[in-house]
Every structure is written in C-alpha cells, then in structure tokens.
Amino acid sequence: MSGNSKRFLVSGGGTGGHIFPALSIANEIRRRYPEAKILFVGAEGRMEMERVPAAGYDIKGLPVAGFDRKRLWRNFGVLLKLWKSIRLAKHILKDFKPDIAIGVGGYASGPMLKAAQKKGIPTLLQEQNSYAGVTNKLLAKGAKRICVAYEGMERFFPEEKIVLTGNPVRRNLLECEASQEEARKAMGIDPEKATVLIIGGSLGARTVNESIIGGLQKIGAMADEVQVVWQTGKFYDEHCKQALAQSGVKNVIQMPFISNMDMAYRAADLVISRAGASSISELQLLGKPSILVPSPNVAEDHQTKNALALANRDAAIMVTDAEAQDRLVDTMLATVADPEKLTTLSGNVERMALLNSAEHIVDEVMNIIEEK
C-alpha cells in the first residue's frame, strides 16, 4: 500500500512555534505522497485555525484550553472543555480513520493523541524545546517515536523511543539565494551599513520593545555605522512608532510585521530574538549570530533553557528579560561592532544545526506505518 492511500492526522498548536513545524511535516508528506489525506486538529480560537487553512489543509478545532496555574478556581471550565474535547477527538478518529497521529505539542494535541493511543492508532511526537512540554511528557509512554531537537532528552522520555531530528523550519528561509547586499536593497535599507534585526514574534515582545525605546538615543549616536530593522509586533506598533518619531532617530526602521523574513535574516549581521524553539532552529540553520532574550511567560521557563543550550556553547549571547532594560542595547551595539565575536557566534551556532528535519521526521512516520 503506497503512502498516497494513507491518512495522516496532525495535532497541536497554540503558537507559531508549534504551527510552523506541523505545516513543514505536512508539506513533506504532501511532497512525497500528493494523494495522501491529511487532517489537522487544533484548539478553537487559536492561530492554527487561520494559518492551517491558509496553507491549504483541513482543520478541526477542539474546545480545549490550557490549565490556569495561578488561578486554580478557573480550571473547572478547563476540565469541562477537556471532557468535551476528548469526546470530540473520538468522533474525529471514527470519521477520519488515520493510519497515524502526529503530535507537535501544545494543549490541543493532548486529548487528540490520547484518544488515538487508546484506540491503538500509532502516534509520533515532535518536541521542539530543550525542556519537554507537559503534553508530550504525558503522551510519551504511549508513543512509538519521539522526535527531538536537542541532545539529553532521555531526562524526559524513554531513551529507546527518541530520535534526534531537529525542528523543521520554513523552507523559503533556507532557499533564499540573495546576497546580503541584495537583501538589504530589497528591505529598502542601506546596503553598506552593519544591520541588526529585532524580532519579537508575531505578537511582539514588550520587554524587548521597551528596551529599544529606552536606548534609541544610543542607537542614533551610531547612525554612521549601524542600522536597525525593528519588528515590534502589531500589538505594540503605535506605541513604538510614536516613540521613534519623537526621538528623531533615523537609523531605525520600525514595522509591526515582516512578511519577507528570508530577506530580513539575509540582511542581518546580528539578530535579537526571543528564544522559542522555531526561532532558534532558524538561527542555527542560517548560522546567524544572535542575542536571545528568553520570554519568562512560558511553561516551565523553557525559553531560558533553550537559550542556555546555545549560550553555554558560545553560539548565542543571552540577556535575561529582567536585565534587558539595562543591558540589551549596549550588548547589541558592542556585538555588532565586533566582527570577531560575530564570526565565533555564527560558526558555533551553525555547528548545532540539524538539517532536513522534516524529511527525517516523515521517514520515521512512514517506518511506524510499515511496522504496523
């Protein structure tokens, strides 16, 4: 039976960090087996419900929500949604009849993959972070394979199930052939100046933005040597735009969102970013020097652990969220002016990259189906 007649269920989401890998895996399945049936299952009201159909795939939403660890009384409603999601997951399995269920983490994948495991449908998990998420830890015992992006994950998962594959990233980032000069021209910035790219994720990062606002005069003083492309996120767009206009600084180009990330990465000598798994995988595969400011508002503080995995190998510089107001701009300006440091960071981060991740994960998916 060829892969074209198989049915693949992909579940997870909640953030871009879960959605990009899920879509990369689905795209690789579709590339190999154009006739295969692929169904996504996500969380109602989260970004996957828009992003997945836009990429050309069907998706069903579960009413699942994450546990509120600070306000425990709110969890009665969460448990009700979980119960409804488990019932709905059983109906989805009955209707779709998948050959395998693939979980990419995030709370949407919990009820869906648990239901698949109970029904004897084989499951594969993909864990993007260096510190495993709660959902994947709970599902690990019943999974056939667990694809990971970091070494040392046997702390969380049965060693015999772990396969080191890396995280899939958006293919267009790797296929960009523009030179740095061409990329800067395409971005409408000076092709000669050292360039810093600041990305705070699709929603932006408040601490990073406030740190840049606080350091605008210092950045302006370096206008002859350095330019900054500042993606603020749509939520902070107006606030940052006003602050920049009032400062009179001309070597900072601010925008709420960057659609041509392939060109933005190519243009940059240094990247300032949160430490989500997808961002880190992109920096590794592109060999980009970076300053990572881990978000403190994530489960198990996993972004700090992701950032330390690089910082401990001199593959990135880490500035904590609490230190950012005092240190970020000074560290950024010192680093972008130090070609030796940039070369060291670039070489070390590139050595951590794991290539062709989506292909390796789909190989594992197909091996599990054959075993079955």
Side-chain angles (χ1 to χ4, degrees), residues 68 70-77:
D68 192 325
K70 290 182 182 154
R71 291 160 295 196
L72 295 174
W73 69 89
R74 294 195 170 184
N75 289 322
F76 178 74

Side-chain angles (χ1 to χ4, degrees), residues 90-363:
K90 288 177 185 170
H91 286 299
I92 291 169
L93 291 175
K94 199 173 164 192
D95 293 344
F96 185 65
K97 299 183 177 65
D99 291 283
I100 189 165
I102 301 159
V104 295
Y107 44 76
S109 65
M112 196 63 245
L113 267 83
K114 197 72 193 162
Q117 289 175 351
K118 279 188 170 169
K119 228 176 154 5
I121 294 161
T123 59
L124 174 142
L125 305 178
Q126 199 250 333
E127 175 55 62
Q128 294 104 26
N129 294 294
S130 62
Y131 193 90
V134 174
T135 306
N136 279 347
K137 283 194 280 193
L138 292 171
L139 293 167
K141 195 170 173 234
K144 294 282 184 194
R145 294 278 199 296
I146 302 159
C147 296
V148 302
Y150 292 88
E151 287 164 0
M153 296 301 283
E154 57 280 356
R155 291 179 296 155
F156 308 107
F157 302 129
E159 196 170 352
E160 69 281 2
K161 296 183 179 186
I162 295 173
V163 187
L164 186 65
T165 58
N167 285 325
V169 305
R170 295 170 278 187
R171 193 176 274 270
N172 67 319
L173 297 181
L174 307 178
E175 290 173 350
C176 176
E177 289 181 355
S179 68
Q180 192 169 56
E181 193 180 333
E182 287 165 346
R184 286 176 185 169
K185 284 178 179 168
M187 295 290 294
I189 57 177
D190 189 328
E192 302 298 321
K193 277 187 197 171
T195 304
V196 179
L197 170 65
I198 300 170
I199 41 177
S202 50
L203 300 173
R206 189 177 66 83
T207 308
V208 174
N209 288 337
E210 292 298 344
S211 303
I212 299 304
I213 288 171
L216 281 171
Q217 296 307 327
K218 286 180 182 174
I219 298 169
M222 302 279 287
D224 291 345
E225 298 103 62
V226 177
Q227 61 194 345
V228 173
V229 177
W230 182 20
Q231 183 244 309
T232 55
K234 57 188 175 189
F235 191 66
Y236 303 102
D237 180 36
E238 209 46 53
H239 174 54
C240 296
K241 194 176 278 160
Q242 282 176 4
L244 182 58
Q246 284 165 6
S247 73
V249 170
K250 296 284 182 260
N251 57 327
V252 175
I253 299 90
Q254 179 269 334
M255 57 197 76
F257 187 73
I258 298 173
S259 52
N260 53 339
M261 273 305 295
D262 52 343
M263 289 295 180
Y265 271 130
R266 196 60 51 138
D269 295 293
L270 176 68
V271 179
I272 314 272
S273 174
R274 286 301 203 189
S278 286
S279 302
I280 286 185
S281 297
E282 289 168 1
L283 295 166
Q284 288 171 337
L285 287 159
L286 299 170
K288 283 290 162 186
S290 67
I291 299 171
L292 300 172
V293 186
S295 169
N297 311 313
V298 293
E300 271 110 10
D301 197 23
H302 68 251
Q303 286 204 6
T304 297
K305 291 157 183 128
N306 290 348
L308 283 170
L310 273 67
N312 291 339
R313 298 187 186 196
D314 203 12
I317 294 165
M318 182 172 106
V319 173
T320 67
D321 199 77
E323 300 169 320
Q325 298 267 14
D326 296 329
R327 283 191 53 213
L328 182 60
V329 170
D330 289 340
T331 306
M332 170 184 102
L333 293 173
T335 307
V336 78
D338 184 346
E340 213 171 292
K341 182 67 176 171
L342 292 174
T343 303
T344 301
L345 290 170
S346 176
N348 289 342
V349 78
E350 198 163 15
R351 275 191 281 282
M352 291 180 76
L354 293 162
L355 301 169
N356 308 320
S357 300
E359 289 93 322
H360 292 316
I361 292 167
V362 174
D363 288 344

